[in-house]
Amino acid sequence: MGSNRSKLTARFLIPSIVGIILFMIPVKYNGDWTITVKIIADIIGGALGSVLPLLCVIIVTISAVMSLISLGKPKFITEHPILKDTFCTSPIWVAVRVLGAIFIWLTYLGVAAGDEDTGIIHMITEGGAGGFVLGDLLTVLVIIFVIAALLLPLLLDFGLLEFVGALLTKIMRPLFKIPGRAAVDCFTSWIGDGTLGVMLTCNQYEGGYYSAREASVIATTFSAVSITFSIVVLAQVDLMQYFGVYYLMICLVGVACAIIVPRIPPLSRKPDT
């Protein structure tokens, strides 16, 4: 009995602690505060180098083409659960994906037709718009999504959510109208990275652990501003010396919004289904 209990405890503690270290604890790397998953993503990104933009172009293109094909409801998509969940969407989102594919190809090929100030294509593809999204944003997000898909089970599947949920239900439910297990989402979003928080929330919603309203509340009130994103913003405007006061104000305003917003429309009208 004692041996089994020790094994179960180790099976809970070891993956959960590793997951917390990877996703939730800020560390200083090359002079900047970040999280371990982001460091791993940066190392992989540096190794892949120039291949990443092309990989992003291929992914967006496949998404657009397959979404267009799915409008015809072919059996090879509708009868395959993964393909159906990935590519079957509303006509509006299909149009968005197709536009995204067009824009990303224009950016990747360096098309900049029109006047520098008024040309629409130039405004889409120039370095501060499409160039930034393709070269700096998508290349990082693609790697983070892949790594998170492999490593998020450390937070999800070994009992951490259930343990935290049992401890914090009496706090999270009255204050924020969300389950106690959502505390892990909130910490991951605020301390780690908002993108990872959204992925975790989506995973829990699709698994049936959150209702539509709860998932919407978590994604909109807790996944907005992470520590890492706040550092990027302050560094951009050269105000890092005010980080402590700045992030304290973000936390205070964020918590106040997280208490108020779920109680007013539109979030209060989302169905608990």
Side-chain angles (χ1 to χ4, degrees):
M1 179 72 76
S3 176
N4 288 337
R5 182 182 292 274
S6 298
K7 288 180 180 178
L8 289 173
T9 302
R11 191 179 297 174
F12 160 65
L13 284 177
I14 294 173
S16 298
I17 291 172
V18 172
I20 290 170
I21 292 172
L22 288 174
F23 289 98
M24 299 173 65
I25 297 182
V27 294
K28 202 159 190 177
Y29 178 73
N30 287 340
D32 296 320
W33 285 98
T34 182
I35 54 174
T36 306
V37 167
K38 181 64 167 55
I39 296 173
I40 297 172
D42 289 342
I43 293 172
I44 295 175
L48 293 178
S50 59
V51 176
L52 277 175
L54 179 59
L55 178 62
C56 293
V57 170
I58 292 171
I59 292 172
V60 172
T61 304
I62 292 174
S63 174
V65 171
M66 292 296 288
S67 297
L68 269 176
I69 294 173
S70 72
L71 291 176
K73 306 293 183 185
K75 286 187 177 181
F76 80 93
I77 291 180
T78 57
E79 294 181 358
H80 193 289
I82 295 177
L83 293 180
K84 182 179 179 181
D85 288 344
T86 304
F87 300 117
C88 288
T89 185
S90 66
I92 293 176
W93 279 109
V94 172
V96 170
R97 292 181 181 186
V98 171
L99 282 174
I102 295 171
F103 293 160
I104 201 171
W105 272 107
L106 290 174
T107 303
Y108 182 72
L109 296 175
V111 177
D115 182 76
E116 186 172 335
D117 296 322
T118 61
I120 293 177
I121 294 178
H122 188 280
M123 287 190 287
I124 291 171
T125 61
E126 60 100 14
F132 168 76
V133 173
L134 176 58
D136 298 321
L137 186 60
L138 281 182
T139 51
V140 174
L141 290 179
V142 163
I143 298 174
I144 286 180
F145 285 154
V146 172
I147 294 174
L150 294 173
L151 299 179
L152 271 179
L154 294 171
L155 291 180
L156 301 177
D157 298 341
F158 292 92
L160 180 64
L161 292 182
E162 288 76 11
F163 177 72
V164 172
L167 291 177
L168 296 180
T169 293
K170 292 183 178 179
I171 297 174
M172 302 299 287
R173 180 67 71 181
L175 277 180
F176 309 117
K177 294 187 173 294
I178 53 179
R181 66 190 292 124
V184 174
D185 281 21
C186 302
F187 284 122
T188 301
S189 295
W190 279 77
I191 299 175
D193 187 279
T195 305
L196 298 175
V198 171
M199 286 186 66
L200 202 156
T201 302
C202 182
N203 179 289
Q204 293 294 285
Y205 171 64
E206 291 176 350
Y209 297 103
Y210 297 153
S211 69
R213 186 193 60 77
E214 290 166 348
S216 300
V217 168
I218 296 165
T220 55
T221 58
F222 286 101
S223 300
V225 184
S226 63
I227 285 181
T228 52
F229 182 72
S230 298
I231 291 172
V232 169
V233 171
L234 278 186
Q236 187 70 26
V237 295
D238 197 23
L239 292 174
M240 277 300 295
Q241 65 270 29
Y242 300 111
F243 176 78
V245 176
Y246 172 79
Y247 199 70
L248 176 61
M249 293 304 297
I250 284 179
C251 290
L252 292 175
V253 173
V255 170
C257 289
I259 294 173
I260 296 169
V261 171
R263 292 169 166 82
I264 60 176
L267 289 181
S268 63
R269 293 180 180 174
K270 294 285 287 186
D272 262 322
T273 54

